Amino acid sequence: YQKRWVKLDADYLRYFDSEKDTYSKRLIPVSSISRVSSIGDQKFEVVTNNRNFVFRAENDADRNEWIWTLQQIAEERKSKAPERTLMSLATDSATELADKSGFLELRGFKHKLFVVVAGDKVFLYKNAEDYRLRIGITYIEMNVGNVKEVDRRGFDLTTPYRIFSFSADSEQEKEEWVEAMQHSITEALSNSEVAERIWAAESNRFCADCGSPKPEWASINLCVVICKRCAGEHRGLGPGITKVRSLKMDRKVWTEELIELFQQFGNMMANQFWAANVPPSEAISPTSSSQERRRFVVAKYREGKYRQYHPLFGNQEELDRALCVAVTTSDLAETQALLFCGASVTCDTGDPQCPTPLALAERSGQRLQMEFLLHNKTSGWFGGCRHAGQSSGRLLSALLCCAEFSRRWCTLQDGVLSYYENDRNTVPNGEIRVEEIVCLPLHSCRTCHSCSGQHEGTFEVYTEADRLYLFGLESPDSAREWLKSIAKSFVHPCAEELLALDFERLGRLRYKGGLTLERAQEGWFALVGSMLHVCSEDGCQQEPLQLRKLQELCEYPCPAGRTPWLRGSRSAAEPRCAGRTLYIQGERKLDFLGWVHAIQKAAGSSGDTLSEQQMTESDVPLLVDRCIDYITQCGMGQGIYRKSGQNSKTTSLLEVLQRDARRVCLKEGEHQVDDVANTLKRFFRDLGDGLFTRRWAPDWLWATALEDEEAKVGKYRQLLAALPPVNRATLKALINHLFRVQCFSGENQMNTHNLAIVFGPTLFQTDGKDYKAGRVVEDLISHYVEIFNVNDQEMKKQQDEITAIMKMREASSSGTQQAGDFICTVYLEEKKTETEQHVKVSATMTAEELIFEILDRRKIVMKEKDYWSCFEVNEKEEA
């Protein structure tokens, strides 16, 4: 017998190596259990249709309880005759339900496993015989899964609990498995409630175009339910003709009114109009090719080739008048025929109190008519019968738009952005409904696009249909004016405060953050310089993110059909605030990529001044922090700051750090200390406006002439307070570092005076022409505590660190130090000054050894049932 952790639920009896495991070693469908009986000595036998399993409990009472429970569940399943699970199905029906099945290699197993993808789960079997006998190893819930291709035949199925590394027999097989698992993930993340309600109408159970069963997509303005393949062709027509949404994933769009509209209207009524005259030779079926589907969908909906023409077709005035009558009744079929034969949804009703058909429907209490009109408010139809709206007197200004910047006349009216061939046309070339906009970026055309013409100001419009429109004007002010006008119509009232910002990019995104990582919520985002402003769906504006202070920025790739995630982690701008991690997801791939590029650019260094660098939470450039940290750990020995590094390596390292210091990890062996030291000096030497600033540098140099030491220190403190916050924080970090370096002057020969000779000309950018520059640096190091107001607690911490470094160096020189040792600050249970310890961590030290070291120092005795864990924290972020 082997000790196992056993779980029993309504469907399976499973056993695991331990209670902490998520995935079982074996699972037995409850429906396959035919008998459970005691066989003495605390043992009991579970008999299935094909195999017997013997278990032994810890005592007779436990055994009897297991037997009674298993018998109860087995009898309950038989009496209620429930819908069977995959594992309980006979071979034929199981094969029918499986989306994909076959043999795959799985890392950790000697032999291939038989894998089955079915619905929202992936099942693992030892072999095909076990699959036939319905005895599995485990199953994987795909709502937490992610599939990633690794090499030509390999792919990983990643969950929060384990990575399953599979290998197929061929590249084509691998692609089929990946596609099947991605579909399973989509199935797991979807919600079937809306689909089931809409399928309740019999005609909605089959695609309105090709007849495929259980269609999971719909055109919400045409009121047709369609399959995935036909939905792809619908998207090609554009949102002006058909607005495609998923029955299972686009949950927000499915209001009670829209669901009810589809239940009453549905495919049957829609096709009585759209497919009234389809010749059998032109009809399509579930097996039709993409080309055949595209031809049919274009003919059916864009050209209206098969529709049932309304008797009033061609008479615009009569069509509009009839529509005004129809919307006050429950006759949806009549409204459909009128609207799709050219009646204008915004026509003038002649009633001042109800000027539009929508207002008439509202007054008459016709909820479904209102829903139908709302979803067709910006649809464009055939033969010039569709109006552009009101008169040209409301046109705002001439605008250049579209792919090649053809000149177009544009209007923004009633939530619709329309563009015309010229200001005399009444029929627009195209329309963009503002509620379909997901993002509005503003930028300089010349920096972002290679387009003809002199367009100083441009902006883009991203829509839900994953389309991008580019607009250009002669001046940036005009572009911003247009952008602000569109934004006012496009932004939800809960995020109106974002409109007051001088944003470069504005849009809605899904995100997760803080303690609510289970569910993504919709939010409104505005990018202003390097600040990202967020307003949640409930109207709460969160603390803006300073992107240059991000600790980490990474993109999570996702399977096809799912938008990827972008994660940003930072520490708070104020010590009292907790750190934050924000996971951002785009509405569509094109929109998301735009945000990724914009955020990455905003999070990077943008110039040569201190304030334009990537920062730590304490307002010190990340480049400076990285260099100082590395030199402190690895380079306090002889020659530091006196020996020059290689010019080419210094240039290369400085470029990499200035491009994105966040991605650079300085490692001993890969980077020479002298190259890093040279990089730090060159950064300050070439710094725009200098560390002391052009405004205040002369005053610093003048202060050296003061003979009274106390007056001089007071002047330095006054000048320090006058510096910008970033310069002040950076100067303190650098002088703190030099203060430590001179503590090792016995080894490195770099006393205060020598350091001043090196850094004075560098920091004041004088090339050695003014000796007073060195005097300033020497004074700052000598009076470090007084000038920078270093308190006793901070000083003690620095002395402890210096002592720890000295002990490590002594150990190194005596031969007891191993390569890779470094000093690490460890906190016991809470991050407080009184709980911190400075420990020498060797390359071979284990977490257990580190824990015992800390407990021993604090004289804490380990008790029998005590559990201590050691984890690394990314500054103030999560483990």
Side-chain angles (χ1 to χ4, degrees), residues 678-723:
N678 228 31
T679 299
L680 182 65
K681 289 190 291 183
R682 187 179 295 183
F683 171 75
F684 283 114
R685 188 191 70 195
D686 299 339
L687 190 62
D689 200 35
L691 179 59
F692 293 94
T693 74
R694 293 189 184 93
R695 165 69 180 84
W696 294 107
D699 293 50
W700 283 89
L701 296 173
W702 173 84
T704 59
L706 294 173
E707 294 183 3
D708 184 79
E709 211 61 23
E710 190 174 335
K712 189 194 296 185
V713 169
K715 184 62 177 177
Y716 283 144
R717 292 185 65 173
Q718 181 184 342
L719 291 169
L720 181 67
L723 288 177

Side-chain angles (χ1 to χ4, degrees), residues 33-177:
I33 298 175
S34 57
R35 180 167 53 87
V36 184
S37 60
S38 170
I39 54 176
D41 191 23
Q42 300 157 21
K43 292 183 285 188
F44 64 94
E45 186 176 36
V46 176
V47 180
T48 70
N49 300 332
N50 312 97
R51 191 175 295 178
N52 298 351
F53 296 86
V54 178
F55 295 89
R56 186 171 69 190
E58 292 187 349
N59 52 59
D60 288 340
D62 278 354
R63 178 200 60 189
N64 294 339
E65 187 177 350
W66 274 102
I67 292 173
W68 183 85
T69 305
L70 283 164
Q71 287 174 341
Q72 287 290 109
I73 289 181
E75 288 172 11
E76 212 173 279
R77 298 271 300 193
K78 289 173 185 175
S79 63
K80 291 184 179 179
E83 194 174 308
R84 293 178 294 172
T85 61
L86 173 67
M87 293 290 187
S88 69
L89 295 170
T91 306
D92 292 343
S93 57
T95 306
E96 286 174 13
L97 274 186
D99 299 311
K100 174 77 175 170
S101 62
F103 286 99
L104 286 173
E105 294 177 18
L106 176 60
R107 187 180 299 163
F109 288 81
K110 292 182 180 179
H111 304 289
K112 289 183 177 181
L113 297 184
F114 195 82
V115 182
V116 177
V117 180
D120 58 357
K121 295 182 179 66
V122 171
F123 296 85
L124 305 182
Y125 300 85
K126 281 189 174 180
N127 49 51
E129 178 66 13
D130 275 5
Y131 174 50
R132 188 183 67 80
L133 296 176
R134 299 167 291 171
I135 305 298
I137 298 173
T138 192
Y139 64 82
I140 305 159
E141 298 274 6
M142 295 300 276
N143 63 333
V144 294
N146 187 17
V147 186
K148 180 182 179 182
E149 297 186 36
V150 177
D151 52 39
R152 195 172 62 84
R153 295 190 300 116
F155 63 96
D156 286 347
L157 171 54
T158 305
T159 74
Y161 319 105
R162 180 179 170 183
I163 297 176
F164 297 86
S165 297
F166 293 103
S167 183
D169 289 336
S170 67
E171 188 171 0
Q172 182 180 348
E173 268 286 295
K174 176 203 70 176
E175 290 173 358
E176 291 175 5
W177 278 106

Side-chain angles (χ1 to χ4, degrees), residues 215-270:
E216 297 182 358
W217 297 82
S219 170
I220 58 174
N221 64 311
L222 301 178
C223 288
V224 291
V225 188
I226 50 180
C227 68
K228 184 178 180 180
R229 293 184 68 188
C230 288
E233 304 307 326
H234 272 251
R235 285 198 191 93
L237 299 180
I241 294 177
T242 175
K243 299 175 176 65
V244 181
R245 298 292 184 273
S246 169
L247 298 184
K248 292 187 172 183
M249 291 180 286
D250 292 322
R251 303 177 192 180
K252 281 192 174 183
V253 76
W254 293 103
T255 61
E256 279 300 316
E257 288 78 12
L258 186 57
I259 293 172
E260 193 176 334
L261 180 63
F262 268 77
Q263 289 173 332
Q264 290 194 25
F265 198 103
N267 286 354
M268 184 172 70
M269 191 184 296

Side-chain angles (χ1 to χ4, degrees), residues 440-509:
L440 293 171
L442 174 73
H443 49 68
S444 168
C445 177
R446 290 176 297 179
T447 60
C448 301
H449 298 276
S450 55
C451 52
S452 58
Q454 296 299 313
H455 311 306
E456 295 292 335
T458 66
F459 66 89
E460 296 170 351
V461 176
Y462 290 82
T463 68
E464 290 177 343
D466 212 15
R467 294 188 66 183
L468 166 63
Y469 298 82
L470 176 63
F471 296 83
L473 294 98
E474 286 80 358
S475 75
D477 290 342
S478 299
R480 181 164 291 282
E481 184 182 343
W482 267 91
L483 195 68
K484 288 278 188 179
S485 298
I486 297 171
K488 286 176 184 176
S489 304
F490 145 68
V491 172
H492 193 276
C494 72
E496 282 182 345
E497 57 262 44
L498 298 181
L499 296 174
L501 302 172
D502 197 20
F503 59 83
E504 296 144 30
R505 192 179 191 91
L506 178 73
R508 54 184 163 92
L509 297 163

Side-chain angles (χ1 to χ4, degrees), residues 71 206 235 243 256 265 334 398 402 501 546 823 842 866:
Q71 287 174 341
F206 301 92
R235 285 198 191 93
K243 299 175 176 65
E256 279 300 316
F265 198 103
E334 176 70 1
C402 298
L501 302 172
Q546 171 50 266
I823 300 299
S842 69
D866 278 356

